[in-house]
Amino acid sequence: MVKRSTPKGEENFQQPFSSTSSSNQSGSNDFVKKLFQMLQEDSYKDIVRWTTNGDSFVVINTNEFTKEILPRHFKHSNFASFVRQLNKYDFHKVKIPNEEKQFYEYGEDAWEFKHPDFRVNDREALENIKRKGPTTKKISQTGLSSSGASSGADSSAVQQLRDDLEFLTSENGSLKHEISILNTKYKALVENIVSLRSFDERYYHSMNVLLNCLVQAGIKLPPLDFPNPALINMQSAPTHHASPQQHGRGKPLQHLSPPILSPNGSGNHQSIQPFDTGIMGQPSQSGYGSGQIHQSSGSQRQSGPSPPSTEPSNAKVHSPQQMSNTAQSPLMTNTGSLNAPSGQVGPNMSSSTSPDNPTQPSHGERTQSHPDITTTDLANPKFHVLLVEDDNVCIQLCRKFLMKYGCQVTVATDGLNAISTVEHTKYDLVLMDIVMPNLDGATATSVIRSFDTKTPIIAMTGNIEDNDLVTYLQNGMSDILAKPFTKDDLYSILSKHLLTNSDNGGAVSGRNDVTGLQGPAQQTLILPQETQQSTDPGLNEPIVKKQRMS
Amino acid sequence: MTEDKKQALQDSGLIEWSVFSELVAMDEDEEGFSKSLFQTFVDQVLETFKEIDENLKNKNFDKVSSLGHYLKGSAAALGLEKISSQCERIQNYGRKNNFDNFEFKEKKEFENEDDKWEELIHDALDKARDWFVKSRKALNEYFEDDF
């Protein structure tokens, strides 16, 4: 690789022809002197130093070298241009064959450079090192040079490009390598976070059970700093949440949900001694006594928009979702029994953002153990769909359409919640937004795929560029639903994945009764007539074609 | 709901009619559904505009971009395409991507790149605000309410 394309004699001879030569003659090799000076510095020996033979020098740590030493000695921090300079002075990179690389004493990523006149402790020889590039070029331009010189200039330029290319290629390779390591670590971390969260939640519930027992046994509890893991604010993005929260869920990031702290079934919320319900990361909230919270939640309930009579019967504790959760969190029963008598848990759903909207739905919006997860029940639902979406408007709309198609809908508002929800409950289909706080939909999907390969997961996205789509599918998405989508679009996705699957009996749970599901002609996936809710009179009516939803 | 009102809203061209009629059709089995949806949207827009302002002041372009993306989705879902397309500009400019090759009417000089993007975002944000004010007014008239 050490190729002397421009013999020094020739260069010296040519110099008088060059208009720039004068500047090159004295002090022309400042660069080389600086380089020599730099190598005298003992403190750099882990980054750059003479090789053992003393006839070449080696950059051991290119990163540190670029960041620390180049700025100090050469007033820039660009390794490529440092290499270019070296090439101009006819230094060459010492090529280490690949098979020897691993035994190379300075490490695989080291760069060794060599010039015959550049030797340790030989300051005199430095004078022989001359800049070559511009001189020969000038000559070739003025036509005075021989063809040999011009080809020499060319080949040195080529050499330079080659070295640059080599540098960039190796840099690129190592970057790719680093990215893939980071990716692996990231996935492992996400999985860890998810499992930690579910542990936390289980501890939290167990603690609650214990506390309730103690309270019932008449033991006075000291103030406790007892954060609900699910309520810790990890949110960075807009916190327009799933839905304006009802009592029980609280504004999920602000209240510790009171029923959990209440004595089981006592209904006397004021009887509880104050806990310190401070939530980590929410200093403004800490110090609220539970009494206060209970009061505020109580008044929230009284101001609830709809009277108990509008509560559909199915809004009680009997949702399948609820049942399944009860198994792992005994607290759910408590929550249920406390909420049910109030009869108003569901309808509060939009009360905090739209107080002037008394006609808000009475679709049994249910409190789940998780503050960011809401399930809307239908009587005898055909399918259970998980909607993962952070945008309130889209949630309301999409949930509405899904319910019209006879699906029970659970909403999760970020990727982390989606993962833990899918871990606990079997869904027939997941609709997954991509851009979300905490964890994006693509990553969430790839994590879900590590334990669930069957459930159809549909990406809902406004980015429909080819690259993105490929990425989504690579992450394990089953299909893509471009946003904004029409109601018909939603229907065809649902029928494609739900109806096909139920034919195989595949991923779909036993709830489904294949008969009675209609194809697109009639456009209903709907409930049997007799289970229709009185609040949903239009449920089975034919759907107008070509309407859009978002 | 009188036909006149419908016609007036449709003529305003502020809202994609096919989307809107689908939303309104939902009111048949849940009275007030569409209205509550727009109320949610209006609250969301006011809050998000405020956040964009704050983040723009701090030159937090990434955040501005994601807020633009967020609002774009909501607006598109409701057929408010005028607002949605301005939000798309905010999203892209926040990522320093002049995807629509937008140029200011009079040539402007910027001291640095960031100033240019800030100015572009301001332009889109002003237009989004403008469309929002108009749409809100039209919807108020339609719903005979005050969002």
Side-chain angles (χ1 to χ4, degrees), chain A residues 370-389:
Chain A
H370 211 289
D372 284 340
I373 298 168
T374 341
T375 301
T376 311
D377 290 343
L378 285 184
N380 193 17
K382 284 289 175 196
F383 298 104
H384 195 174
V385 174
L386 176 65
L387 174 61
V388 190
E389 167 71 77

Side-chain angles (χ1 to χ4, degrees), chain A residues 212 247-248 257-269 272 294 301 317 322 331-345 366-367:
Chain A
N212 282 336
H247 129 89
S257 66
I260 295 183
L261 290 173
S262 305
N264 192 0
S266 82
N268 181 1
H269 293 170
I272 304 179
H294 284 245
R301 259 196 285 166
V317 238
Q322 191 96 30
L331 246 288
M332 286 309 301
T333 337
N334 297 348
T335 317
S337 64
L338 277 171
N339 285 344
S342 84
Q344 294 204 0
V345 180
R366 286 305 312 169
T367 300

Side-chain angles (χ1 to χ4, degrees), chain B residues 56 59 61 89-90 93 102-110 112-127:
Chain B
L56 198 52
K59 303 216 192 270
F61 289 117
R89 293 181 59 208
I90 295 173
Y93 300 156
F102 184 83
E103 282 180 31
F104 292 105
K105 277 200 189 98
E106 64 257 46
K107 202 128 174 75
K108 300 196 183 185
E109 292 293 324
F110 297 107
N112 58 48
E113 277 288 289
D114 277 4
D115 285 357
K116 183 184 95 185
W117 295 114
E118 194 178 333
E119 193 60 34
L120 281 168
I121 293 169
H122 269 303
D123 179 80
L125 186 59
D126 288 347
K127 285 176 184 158

Side-chain angles (χ1 to χ4, degrees), chain B residues 127-138:
Chain B
K127 285 176 184 158
R129 277 212 164 89
D130 194 39
W131 288 118
F132 173 66
V133 168
K134 289 185 178 131
S135 309
R136 189 182 187 178
K137 185 163 169 283

Side-chain angles (χ1 to χ4, degrees), chain B residues 65-79:
Chain B
S65 171
S66 84
L67 289 165
H69 169 87
Y70 181 76
L71 211 51
K72 178 186 80 171
S74 321
L78 300 181

Side-chain angles (χ1 to χ4, degrees), chain A residues 236-241 350 352-357 359-363 390-394 396-397 400-401 403-404 433 435 462-463 483-488 535-539 541 543-544 546-550, chain B residues 16 18-23 25-33 35-48 51 63 66-67 69-79 81 84 91 95 145-147:
Chain A
S236 57
T239 39
H240 312 284
H241 255 276
S350 291
S352 61
T353 51
S354 48
D356 55 342
N357 176 29
T359 47
Q360 204 32 58
S362 353
H363 295 284
D390 66 323
D391 178 349
N392 215 353
V393 170
C394 295
Q396 289 187 26
L397 204 49
K400 186 79 195 155
F401 289 145
M403 284 165 59
K404 239 177 144 43
D433 187 21
V435 183
N463 299 341
K483 268 185 178 179
F485 48 84
T486 69
K487 202 158 70 174
D488 288 353
T535 47
D536 264 357
L539 215 51
E541 101 199 12
I543 286 140
V544 186
K546 281 293 143 212
Q547 292 181 335
R548 301 182 69 216
M549 85 166 261
S550 108
Chain B
E16 184 73 14
S18 56
V19 180
F20 187 73
S21 33
E22 189 169 75
L23 298 180
M26 290 295 144
D27 291 346
E28 284 169 20
D29 47 75
E30 186 185 318
E31 204 188 321
F33 173 78
K35 204 159 135 180
S36 80
L37 209 52
F38 281 104
Q39 183 63 55
T40 308
F41 177 72
V42 168
D43 295 343
Q44 188 175 298
V45 170
L46 294 175
E47 196 173 326
T48 311
E51 279 189 70
K63 182 69 183 169
S66 84
L67 289 165
H69 169 87
Y70 181 76
L71 211 51
K72 178 186 80 171
S74 321
L78 300 181
E81 285 172 9
S84 158
Q91 180 192 354
R95 279 193 303 223
D145 205 330
D146 193 16
F147 287 125

